[in-house]
């Protein structure tokens, strides 16, 4: 571009000058040999994972001056953090002040200071911690805070401690100290143990109970390993300790065998000796496990529990069981018993509105429409269903005002965003994603503004880093850019292949967006690969079915081969499930055998069936794929769409349908 002396051209030339170095930085990986510094960074990651401090120290000088030098320095210092001097740690944080790695190191140091019980230094550093998203640090802060009353700190601990999914030191220490003051009730400790027993986390259960009395730990271990034997040996449960251990044993038995637990909990001695709260929790676990098995007995189990004594997870499964049974009054009452935060989630707001509609009178209908209106929108599964309930289809929202040159330049010259994308480009995806998330969401309280988020998403889109593009754009609240949130890379290949085999391209895009966020080299923890996340064995089987000769599993990351095989498998699954998009999506995620079992029982509206999918991952996956599909259809066709047109009902395989394809992997 030639620069002329006009105000507009002058601004364009300034922006071009700003962006030129960024463009140079982004030479495609395939056309660029990694520099010596980048090779050193990749070696340092391996050394960091192996905690090889000598190797890290030796490699660090090779990264001097590289944009990712703070990452290299963080690795090197963190690997020896327990033995590093405070002066060295603070020098690193001063040098990289304002960056993710300053705050990341401070987070790690705060944890070390808490473990060392160095409360003076901890109190100095805590106010400088920007991310402020680490529960263990928050628990250590409760210990370090000697100015506030113990009762005030004890009131804050349960939300932190009960949400922890590991036996950490910080929250256990806070619980121990607050128990000693008498400010923390022992009930909180037993609740922690119950949740752990229900989740099969014996280390957490034993850690919690040990805070009350270390001599009880062997009893907890026995309860976990052999609850039947423990219960057989107990005749009376008068003391609190025994009553709670019996409760833990019944919970453990319920997780393993809910029918046996129901028989045990019905025995007169437990009905007479356990409190209503203890019995309710046990029946809540039994009901949840039966509901997850889609058993019609779940409602009977839940009926033996009082709403006010159930956890949020028990209440959620009680609603699901009631939906499956068509018990709308129980749906209503159970949702109303939830905590306000849980009740306000779109899923429960929607079903509460449906329960109100089932009452049939004008006042309830008015309440239902107000609830639908509260969540209605195109962004998610229940939001779209709420739109339909109000008689409004899903359409593409009006695009926000175009980004200004200044907004674009601010994003593309932001050091944190640049570092994050560079890390992703050279193969350090995890590290890049973490710095990106910190930059857009945590560096400043509340995260970036909507306009800043749109500009950051635009930066990621321009570099075809589609997961950062989508996830960043999704964070906006008032200015929504659907084409950022639902991009269509490789459109010619996806649409052509979908149409060739009779698939809706919107369905394919909806699935890819959920599977991989369009990351071509994505690999799941179970080995699925590529855009459509196909397992090697599934890819080999599908290649044979469609006559793809000389296929090798390592080819699955090739874009076109992945699309060819992934769409072919999806079409085979869709045909096997009589064209049901919900069933086929569930099969794609969990394998076809499970949805074949889950569909047995009453004929249900698909939304009820989906909400009762036992696996949380698959349940969430199916909802997201179908909501994505509806949005992509609106974008591709330019026409209003209805999610319900892709749902239908789900029930046993019709007698007229062809036999299931049992070879389908």
């Amino acid at each position: 571009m030639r620069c002329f002396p006009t105000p507009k051209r002058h601004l364009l030339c300034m922006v071009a000058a700003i962006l030129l170095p960024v463009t140079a930085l982004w030479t495609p990986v395939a056309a660029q040999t990694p520099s010596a510094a980048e090779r050193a960074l990749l070696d340092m990651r391996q050394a960091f994972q192996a905690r090889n401090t000598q190797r890290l120290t030796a490699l660090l000088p090779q990264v001097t001056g590289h944009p990712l030098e703070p990452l290299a320095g963080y690795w090197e210092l963190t690997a020896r953090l327990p033995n590093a001097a405070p002066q060295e740690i603070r020098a690193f944080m001063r040098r990289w002040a304002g960056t993710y790695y300053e705050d990341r190191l401070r987070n790690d140091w705060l944890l070390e200071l808490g473990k060392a019980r160095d409360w003076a230094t901890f109190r100095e550093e805590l106010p400088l911690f920007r991310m402020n998203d680490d529960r263990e640090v928050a628990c250590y802060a409760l210990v370090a805070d000697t100015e506030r009353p113990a009762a005030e700190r004890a009131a804050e601990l349960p939300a932190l401690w009960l949400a922890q999914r590991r036996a950490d030191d910080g929250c256990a220490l806070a619980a121990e100290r607050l128990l000693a003051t008498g400010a923390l009730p022992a009930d909180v400790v037993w609740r922690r143990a119950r949740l752990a027993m229900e989740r099969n986390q014996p280390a957490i259960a034993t850690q919690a109970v040990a805070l009350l009395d270390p001599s009880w730990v062997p009893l907890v271990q026995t309860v976990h390993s052999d609850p039947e034997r423990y219960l057989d040996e107990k005749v009376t449960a008068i003391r609190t300790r025994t009553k709670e251990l019996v409760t833990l044993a019944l919970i453990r038995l319920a997780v393993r065998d809910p029918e046996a637990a129901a028989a045990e909990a019905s025995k007169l001695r437990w009905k007479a000796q356990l409190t209503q709260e203890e019995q309710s929790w046990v029946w809540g676990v039994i009901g949840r496990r039966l509901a997850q098995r889609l058993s019609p007995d779940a409602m009977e189990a839940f009926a033996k529990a009082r709403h006010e004594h159930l956890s949020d997870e028990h209440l959620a499964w009680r609603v699901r069981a009631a939906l499956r049974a068509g018990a709308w009054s129980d749906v209503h009452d159970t949702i109303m018993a939830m905590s306000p935060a849980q009740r306000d989630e779109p899923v429960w707001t929607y079903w509460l509105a449906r329960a109100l509609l089932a009452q049939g009178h004008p006042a309830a209908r008015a309440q239902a429409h107000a609830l639908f209106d509260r969540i209605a929108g195109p962004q998610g599964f229940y939001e779209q269903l709420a739109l339909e309930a109000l008689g409004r289809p899903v359409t593409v929202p009006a695009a926000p005002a175009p980004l200004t040159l200044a907004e674009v330049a601010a994003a593309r010259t932001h050091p944190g965003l640049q570092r994050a994308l560079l890390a992703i480009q050279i193969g350090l995806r995890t590290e890049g994603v973490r710095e990106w998330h910190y930059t857009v969401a945590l560096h400043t309280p509340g995260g970036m503004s909507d306009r800043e988020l749109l500009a950051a998403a635009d930066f990621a889109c321009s570099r075809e880093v589609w997961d950062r593009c989508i996830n960043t754009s999704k964070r906006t609240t008032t200015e929504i850019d659907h084409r950022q949130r639902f991009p269509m890379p490789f459109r010619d290949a996806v649409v052509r292949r979908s149409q060739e085999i009779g698939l809706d391209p919107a369905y394919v895009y909806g699935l890819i967006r959920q599977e991989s966020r369009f990351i071509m080299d994505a690999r799941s923890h179970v080995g699925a690969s590529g855009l459509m996340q196909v397992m090697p064995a599934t890819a080999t089987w599908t290649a044979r079915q469609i006559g793809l000769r000389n296929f090798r599993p390592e080819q699955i990351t090739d874009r076109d081969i992945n699309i060819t095989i992934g769409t072919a498998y999806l079409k085979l699954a869709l045909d096997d499930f009589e064209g049901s998009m919900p069933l086929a999506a569930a099969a794609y995620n969990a394998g076809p055998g499970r949805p074949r079992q889950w569909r047995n029982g009453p004929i249900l509206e698909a939304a009820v069936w989906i909400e009762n999918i036992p696996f949380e991952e698959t349940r969430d996956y199916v909802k997201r794929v179908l909501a994505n599909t509806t949005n992509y259809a609106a974008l591709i066709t330019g026409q209003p769409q209805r999610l319900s047109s892709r749902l239908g009902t789900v029930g046993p395989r019709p007698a007229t349908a062809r036999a299931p394809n049992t070879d389908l992997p």
Side-chain angles (χ1 to χ4, degrees), residues 296 299 318-332 351 354-355 358-359 602-605 608-609 612:
M299 287 296 290
R318 183 165 183 165
V319 175
R320 293 181 180 117
L323 287 170
R324 190 171 173 84
W328 288 106
S329 62
D330 204 77
V331 169
H332 175 275
W351 288 118
R354 287 285 303 275
Q359 293 180 10
I603 297 175
L604 303 168
E605 63 170 289
V608 171
W609 181 83
N612 273 274

Side-chain angles (χ1 to χ4, degrees), residues 439-550:
T439 303
V440 301
L442 299 172
H443 180 72
T444 57
M448 287 183 169
S449 69
D450 275 9
R451 296 297 295 181
E452 290 171 321
L453 289 168
L454 290 174
D458 173 73
F459 186 18
C461 291
S462 72
R463 305 307 176 194
E464 298 183 0
V465 184
W466 300 112
D467 63 321
R468 295 306 93 205
C469 168
I470 294 167
N471 288 18
T472 305
S473 192
K474 279 178 61 180
R475 297 186 64 86
T476 63
T477 55
T478 58
E479 300 204 43
I480 297 173
D481 189 335
H482 243 45
R483 284 172 174 78
Q484 279 186 347
R485 294 188 179 194
F486 299 94
M488 286 182 274
F490 329 120
R491 182 165 180 167
D492 289 345
V494 171
V495 172
R496 182 179 64 253
R497 175 60 183 166
S498 300
Q499 292 175 342
E500 285 174 356
I501 63 174
L503 272 178
D504 180 356
Y507 189 39
V508 177
Y509 266 119
L511 186 140
I512 295 175
R513 183 180 186 271
Q514 185 58 26
E515 284 285 356
S516 68
R517 287 291 198 265
F518 304 99
I519 302 169
M520 284 192 289
D521 60 352
R523 179 176 287 273
S524 76
H525 67 282
V526 294
S529 300
L531 286 175
M532 298 190 71
Q533 290 291 280
V534 185
M535 294 289 289
T538 301
T540 302
W541 180 87
T542 306
R544 287 199 302 268
Q545 299 302 305
I546 62 176
L548 187 61
R549 297 182 179 179
N550 302 318

Side-chain angles (χ1 to χ4, degrees), residues 78-90:
T78 303
R80 52 186 179 82
L81 189 60
N83 301 314
Q87 300 91 322
E88 183 183 13
I89 296 169
R90 285 179 167 140

Side-chain angles (χ1 to χ4, degrees), residues 181-223:
T181 69
L184 185 71
D187 289 352
V188 177
V189 181
W190 288 114
R191 188 179 182 90
R192 171 76 166 162
R194 289 182 192 179
L195 290 169
M197 199 65 71
E198 192 170 345
R199 295 167 182 159
N200 192 24
Q201 297 170 319
I204 292 178
T206 54
Q207 182 198 50
V209 174
L211 297 177
L212 299 173
D213 190 329
S215 69
W216 297 349
V217 167
L219 293 172
V220 177
Q221 293 169 336
T222 298
V223 161

Side-chain angles (χ1 to χ4, degrees), residues 622-635:
V622 173
K623 288 190 281 193
R624 290 178 184 272
V625 167
L626 293 170
N628 291 347
T629 299
T630 308
N631 278 311
Y632 274 116
L635 282 165

Side-chain angles (χ1 to χ4, degrees), residues 12-290:
L12 289 172
C13 290
M14 288 179 61
V15 172
I18 291 171
L19 299 185
L20 185 59
V22 182
T23 305
L25 179 71
W26 282 96
T27 304
V29 178
Q32 177 177 309
T33 302
S35 66
E38 288 165 357
R39 289 195 298 272
L41 279 162
L42 295 173
D43 288 345
M44 287 189 77
R45 179 175 61 178
Q46 291 184 336
F48 180 70
Q49 291 170 343
R51 283 295 190 264
N52 186 338
T53 55
Q54 290 183 339
R55 179 68 173 155
L56 286 165
T57 302
L59 288 167
L60 183 59
Q62 299 181 36
V63 190
T64 302
H66 190 274
L68 293 176
E69 183 182 354
L71 167 59
Y74 166 79
W75 277 334
E76 195 274 337
L77 183 51
T78 303
R80 52 186 179 82
L81 189 60
N83 301 314
Q87 300 91 322
E88 183 183 13
I89 296 169
R90 285 179 167 140
F92 176 93
M93 292 191 292
R94 282 195 302 271
R95 182 182 180 190
W96 303 112
T99 70
Y100 165 66
Y101 294 103
E102 175 214 358
D103 216 39
R104 178 72 264 164
L105 184 68
R106 179 171 286 109
N107 190 166
D108 297 342
W109 194 27
L110 285 167
L111 292 173
E112 288 294 331
L113 292 169
K115 291 174 186 174
R117 312 309 191 235
D118 183 351
W119 303 121
T121 309
F122 184 94
R123 283 190 287 266
E124 289 176 10
E125 291 298 322
L126 183 63
L128 304 175
F129 183 35
R130 291 188 298 273
M131 287 187 286
N132 201 28
D133 63 345
D134 188 307
R135 290 193 187 99
E136 188 171 12
V137 168
C139 285
Y140 279 134
L142 295 177
V143 178
D145 185 355
T146 56
E147 296 184 0
R148 288 193 301 153
E152 189 176 318
R153 289 178 284 137
E156 296 175 11
L157 178 62
L160 296 167
W161 195 29
L162 299 181
Q164 281 286 65
R165 294 300 183 99
R166 58 187 179 83
D168 70 304
D169 175 68
C171 292
L173 178 66
E176 181 182 34
R177 297 284 178 89
L178 292 167
L179 275 169
T181 69
L184 185 71
D187 289 352
V188 177
V189 181
W190 288 114
R191 188 179 182 90
R192 171 76 166 162
R194 289 182 192 179
L195 290 169
M197 199 65 71
E198 192 170 345
R199 295 167 182 159
N200 192 24
Q201 297 170 319
I204 292 178
T206 54
Q207 182 198 50
V209 174
L211 297 177
L212 299 173
D213 190 329
S215 69
W216 297 349
V217 167
L219 293 172
V220 177
Q221 293 169 336
T222 298
V223 161
H224 182 266
S225 62
D226 196 348
E228 296 94 337
R229 181 165 67 87
Y230 180 84
L231 292 166
D232 284 345
E233 293 175 354
K234 289 295 171 188
V235 177
T236 60
I238 299 172
R239 291 185 298 173
T240 299
R241 183 205 72 176
T242 309
K243 288 153 69 75
E244 286 290 355
L245 288 170
V246 166
T247 302
L248 290 180
L250 288 167
I251 289 170
R252 177 61 178 156
L253 182 58
V255 171
R256 287 172 26 174
D257 187 343
E259 289 84 0
E264 184 70 33
S266 298
K267 290 181 178 178
L268 181 59
R269 67 176 182 267
W270 307 135
K271 292 169 69 174
Q273 296 179 81
L274 298 184
T275 66
Q276 183 61 57
E277 187 274 336
E278 290 158 349
Q279 291 182 61
S280 290
W281 190 291
V282 169
W283 284 109
V285 181
I286 294 169
R288 180 180 69 84
R289 292 296 291 148
L290 290 171

